[in-house]
Amino acid sequence: MNTAPHTHSQPESHPPSPELLLIGGGGAMTLSVDVAVQALEQARARGLRTHVTNLGDTLAATPAVTAAAGGASAVDFTRPGDTADWAAARAAAGERPAVVFGVREMAQEAVAETAQALALPGNPPAAVRRIRTKDACRAALAAAGFRQPAVRLCADEAEARAFLAGSAGPWVVKPRDGADSAGVRKVTGVDDLPAALAQLPDREAPFLVEEFVEGAEFSVEGVFLDGTPRVLAVTAKEKLEPPYFVEIGHVLPAGLPEDTRREIEHTVTAALTALELRFGLFHVELWLTADGIVLGEVHARIGGGWIHRMLPHALPGLELYGTVYDDVLGHPVQLPAATRAAATRYFTPPAGRVTAVEGWDELRSHPSVLHAELHVAPGDVVSGFRSGGDRVGAVVVGADTPSEARELARRLVDSVRFTIEPVEPAPEVSLTLEARPLTSSFQISHMTIETVDILRLRLLAGGATVGEGEIAADSGYGQDGPAIAAEAELLARALAGECDRGADRVAPVRARLEKAAADGVSAPARMLVEMAFLDRAARLAGVPVWQLLRLPEPGRVRLLHTVPIGEEIPLDGRPLKIKLGGPDDEQVLRSLVGVDAPLILDANRGWDRQDWERLRPLVTGLAPAVLEDPVRDPALLPEIRAALPGTAVLLDEGVATPADAEFAVRAAGGLNVKLMRFGGLLPALTALTGATEQGAARMLGCFLEPPRAIAYAAQLAGLSDWSDLDGHFWVSDDPAVAAYELDSSSPGIPRIAYGTGDPA
């Protein structure tokens, strides 16, 4: 018998299970979400904890990914150094991952840099940067002795023409860094260049022109084990006829002679080694030509096109991402052999509005279907099939042989019948910029404005204007006219191909602009594009914009009389908006004593605590109706609001997002909404609606803007307590009046209408 005294032992502590850090999560497309969820599920099946990072907006838009992860953090993977620094700080705090991985193309540099920072297995960052820069990858492969097409990085059309003149055609124009065949187009001569360049996603960025390779296209899918590339399958591709290169089908394994397959595998693995890649998954594209194998693009990820679903069917027992984790963790890995086949095929309905879809339910119920999706329904508009982004659906099937899989996928896709009716062609985009002097100088606390840039965006159909936006950009407010014009033109061209998708013409405009905001497109550029496309949508609907958006009728717009610093103060009874924030504020405030008119004082954040203490007796004595942006430090706002119980305190400068609007309502009790700052009428409407629901004071403001932009904003006047919409009086020859109405007799953006009874 054990006679030792009984003791209470502490619970045994176990070290936490190792963690997978999945950088970049998944994108908004269903395929990208499916890949990320599978990667997380296969980690969890191995006892790995999981943490996913992504852009904040994308995390919110991909709830299935965050639900599959043990934790999530908003980290910008497009800034690889930021991700590495964040992960290093997290590791220093005890949250050190065992595996760093990513499934998205755009995240691979961040994955590599983070793995290097944490001394974990990964690809060298320089190697990843090299393969993601297509011309650099071509140069490295050619230097290592692999066949490559001649290629040139071009800055403009002139350089592209020079390359065509000195090389053998045909050629291919493509983005330097892109995906899904977006902007990739074949050209047969210099006459084709302008149209090809117009298809590039970013017309200001350098682009590639390379010799066209004639031959059957394939890709090679594989995994690195202990740093060595191992091929899982060769995939056969089927593409649309040029000038576009979008893939419409895949089959794996490709039906190739054994010696050809071995030669492809040897070439690809040798190329990967030469490129110094050693970790994760790979997807390498190539051509079989009369002269042999010509390598194409190289990716440190699995291929798209639902290849991640095809591989496990063709290679029973394969867990694609789990293989990577097992290799890192030192677990034994046995790659299964291919004993079956799989195929993917995409739907390619003609361009137009869908009126009926038949056969979809029958396709989904077929026993050989591994996955099927369709993203169009009656009422939706199909814009054609030029890149991966235009895909409207796909079917993935399994079969015993490659030929059976290919034929089954083709037959099932053909069994779905789309009835299509024609729609209006996508509008053409025209943008102009003109420097315009003001009718008189405009002075506020920190600058004097003499000139603005007028930007006009027109949407054209058959040479006629069908939608128009117009704004003014002022460098004094940090608004760079040429930069805004470039952003707006690029955004408008992207939206032109999407604006008629679906019966709701506002929804695609809203969606594209919200994405543009998340991508960092400036607010003035978004407003200009929004104006033109909502103008077009309203014209097509035969109503004014305010009615299209179901806004209250604006009615009569009664204005404040803005008095810039240094100008004489009129005493005619109109509400006065007095610009302050200068050295003569005390003198100006004293001159207002006894003025029989509502006073709006705007200091443009011009006061500090000392200024407020000095001016407080004068301000409280005047008891202004509105005090706008009085101080630089928001901590003073409670004191100011307490001193002016009958005054509406508003914030203006820096109020540009929904979060800013919420802060303004909470801290000051009111806000001034300017469309140029929010990025258009739609986000401004959201801010005003939120303020209304919370009982906050609301002002609708403007910068120095042309009449069309002012009228566009004035459609929100019915949701505001004060309308400070007189910025056009300095930009145009319009008369300075106390009030105006909007003429909504024609569809689109209303015009400002001046009545004969309006005082000058």
Side-chain angles (χ1 to χ4, degrees):
M1 171 182 284
N2 184 356
T3 60
H6 180 74
T7 61
H8 294 281
S9 61
Q10 294 295 322
E12 183 179 354
S13 63
H14 297 281
S17 58
E19 181 188 70
L20 163 70
L21 178 60
L22 185 67
I23 294 175
M29 295 176 62
T30 55
L31 185 150
S32 186
V33 169
D34 196 59
V35 168
V37 169
Q38 280 197 8
L40 291 165
E41 289 176 342
Q42 290 177 20
R44 188 169 61 246
R46 284 159 173 76
L48 290 169
R49 294 178 296 116
T50 56
H51 196 96
V52 63
T53 73
N54 209 331
L55 297 172
D57 290 344
T58 313
L59 280 176
T62 55
V65 177
T66 52
S73 296
V75 184
D76 187 354
F77 64 84
T78 66
R79 300 167 61 91
D82 289 359
T83 300
D85 291 345
W86 171 85
R90 186 171 177 267
E95 294 291 336
R96 180 181 179 84
V99 185
V100 174
F101 189 58
V103 295
R104 297 175 69 185
E105 175 72 24
M106 299 295 289
Q108 294 308 319
E109 288 186 51
V111 172
E113 291 204 12
T114 302
Q116 183 182 69
L118 300 180
L120 292 172
N123 287 310
V128 175
R129 284 191 291 271
R130 184 185 304 119
I131 65 170
R132 294 207 62 245
T133 308
K134 295 174 184 177
D135 51 317
C137 187
R138 288 256 188 267
L141 288 171
F146 298 94
R147 289 189 181 93
Q148 290 286 277
V151 62
R152 178 168 176 177
L153 178 65
C154 300
D156 53 31
E157 184 175 339
E159 292 187 8
R161 287 176 176 269
F163 178 74
L164 265 60
S167 59
W171 303 266
V172 176
V173 172
K174 61 172 64 175
R176 192 183 193 193
D177 178 11
D180 285 334
S181 300
V184 181
R185 185 161 178 169
K186 181 181 179 181
V187 298
T188 57
V190 292
D191 291 342
D192 295 340
L193 263 180
L197 298 181
Q199 297 292 326
L200 290 168
D202 184 351
R203 297 178 65 189
E204 302 299 318
F207 57 92
L208 299 180
V209 183
E210 65 182 34
E211 291 178 334
F212 175 76
V213 179
E214 190 72 56
E217 291 194 46
F218 299 86
S219 66
V220 177
E221 330 305 335
V223 60
F224 291 92
L225 295 181
D226 197 23
T228 301
R230 301 281 298 276
V231 172
L232 296 170
V234 179
T235 304
K237 296 184 180 185
E238 186 175 350
K239 292 194 168 187
L240 289 178
E241 292 296 320
Y244 305 107
F245 292 86
V246 61
E247 297 163 4
I248 61 170
H250 305 90
V251 180
L252 72 78
L256 291 168
E258 185 64 20
D259 59 342
T260 302
R261 183 188 61 78
R262 283 199 300 267
E263 182 184 7
I264 288 175
E265 291 189 7
H266 172 75
T267 301
V268 167
T269 55
L272 291 166
T273 301
L275 290 170
E276 300 179 322
L277 296 172
R278 62 192 184 211
F279 173 79
L281 302 169
F282 61 82
H283 170 73
V284 180
E285 300 171 349
L286 59 90
W287 296 269
L288 281 182
T289 74
D291 297 325
I293 296 171
V294 178
L295 291 173
E297 295 178 9
V298 178
H299 304 278
R301 54 157 173 85
I302 197 60
W306 299 96
I307 287 174
H308 73 288
R309 289 245 182 173
M310 298 164 65
L311 278 169
H313 178 83
L315 285 69
L318 175 68
E319 288 196 345
L320 196 58
Y321 315 104
T323 300
V324 176
Y325 312 149
D326 288 340
D327 183 56
V328 173
L329 298 172
H331 300 162
V333 176
Q334 184 69 38
L335 295 179
T339 59
R340 299 184 296 200
T344 298
R345 190 143 186 107
Y346 296 100
F347 296 100
T348 59
R353 180 171 282 104
V354 178
T355 59
V357 179
E358 299 175 280
W360 172 240
D361 290 337
E362 291 81 357
L363 180 151
R364 293 179 62 193
S365 63
H366 194 284
S368 296
V369 170
L370 305 176
H371 175 79
E373 61 180 19
L374 187 61
H375 303 300
V376 294
D380 291 337
V381 173
V382 179
S383 59
F385 199 34
R386 299 182 177 184
S387 73
D390 294 324
R391 290 170 178 155
V392 299
V395 60
V396 186
V397 301
D400 291 333
T401 67
S403 59
E404 291 173 350
R406 176 188 290 107
E407 179 55 33
L408 176 59
R410 186 192 303 271
R411 180 161 51 82
L412 287 175
V413 164
D414 290 344
S415 72
V416 178
R417 299 170 299 283
F418 298 89
T419 304
I420 305 289
E421 66 179 12
V423 296
E424 293 283 334
E428 299 176 20
V429 175
S430 172
L431 195 147
T432 60
L433 184 151
E434 169 199 357
R436 182 180 302 175
L438 300 183
T439 56
S440 63
S441 298
F442 188 89
Q443 183 178 352
I444 59 176
S445 62
H446 53 288
M447 62 180 156
T448 300
I449 304 169
E450 303 283 354
T451 305
V452 294
D453 285 334
I454 300 295
L455 284 72
R456 178 176 297 161
L457 175 63
R458 292 189 301 152
L459 305 177
L460 306 173
T465 299
V466 295
E468 184 177 358
E470 186 178 42
I471 65 171
D474 174 25
S475 60
Y477 286 103
Q479 298 163 354
D480 183 334
I484 293 169
E487 285 184 301
E489 184 171 8
L490 186 64
L491 178 57
R493 292 186 185 281
L495 185 51
E498 306 169 349
C499 58
D500 291 329
R501 292 183 178 176
D504 183 350
R505 295 186 186 273
V506 176
V509 177
R510 188 192 304 273
R512 170 57 71 169
L513 291 171
E514 288 177 349
K515 180 180 184 302
D519 291 342
V521 176
S522 71
R526 302 198 314 269
M527 175 180 169
L528 180 61
V529 172
E530 183 199 76
M531 281 183 70
F533 280 91
L534 289 189
D535 183 37
R536 177 179 180 269
R539 293 191 196 194
L540 290 172
V543 297
V545 171
W546 62 265
Q547 191 170 336
L548 177 76
L549 300 178
R550 297 182 175 87
L551 299 175
E553 187 169 359
R556 191 165 179 78
V557 182
R558 300 185 180 278
L559 303 179
L560 311 177
H561 186 104
T562 301
V563 183
I565 290 176
E567 288 197 8
E568 185 178 349
I569 297 172
L571 302 175
D572 58 8
R574 281 184 288 169
L576 299 175
K577 183 169 183 177
I578 310 298
K579 292 290 187 179
L580 299 169
D584 299 324
D585 282 357
E586 185 172 350
Q587 179 181 343
V588 173
L589 290 171
R590 291 188 184 281
S591 70
L592 296 173
V593 175
V595 171
D596 187 19
L599 293 176
I600 292 87
L601 305 182
D602 182 8
N604 286 112
R605 288 186 178 176
W607 298 341
D608 57 20
R609 173 169 286 281
Q610 185 177 0
D611 293 323
W612 165 244
E613 294 293 349
R614 176 172 54 86
L615 300 174
R616 174 175 176 165
L618 285 169
V619 176
T620 55
L622 290 171
V626 176
L627 180 59
E628 184 177 349
D629 259 343
V631 287
R632 301 172 196 139
D633 184 359
L636 287 173
L637 289 172
E639 179 181 333
I640 292 173
R641 294 177 68 184
L644 296 165
T647 297
V649 180
L650 310 179
L651 296 189
D652 174 18
E653 301 290 332
V655 180
T657 68
D660 297 334
E662 290 177 9
F663 174 79
V665 170
R666 185 172 64 253
L671 76 168
N672 186 352
V673 172
K674 294 177 178 174
L675 271 62
M676 279 278 284
R677 195 171 270 151
F678 273 83
L681 192 150
L682 295 174
L685 173 60
T686 299
L688 285 172
T689 301
T692 301
E693 291 172 350
Q694 297 180 64
R698 305 151 301 167
M699 180 180 290
L700 191 59
C702 66
F703 292 95
L704 300 176
E705 301 180 42
R708 187 169 185 80
I710 295 294
Y712 187 65
Q715 296 176 109
L716 294 173
L719 298 174
S720 304
D721 302 307
W722 303 89
S723 294
D724 185 20
L725 298 175
D726 60 354
H728 57 304
F729 297 152
W730 284 266
V731 178
S732 69
D733 294 327
D734 283 24
V737 296
Y740 50 72
E741 295 180 350
L742 296 183
D743 181 355
S744 298
S745 59
S746 297
I749 297 174
R751 294 181 300 106
I752 294 176
Y754 300 104
T756 57
D758 292 322

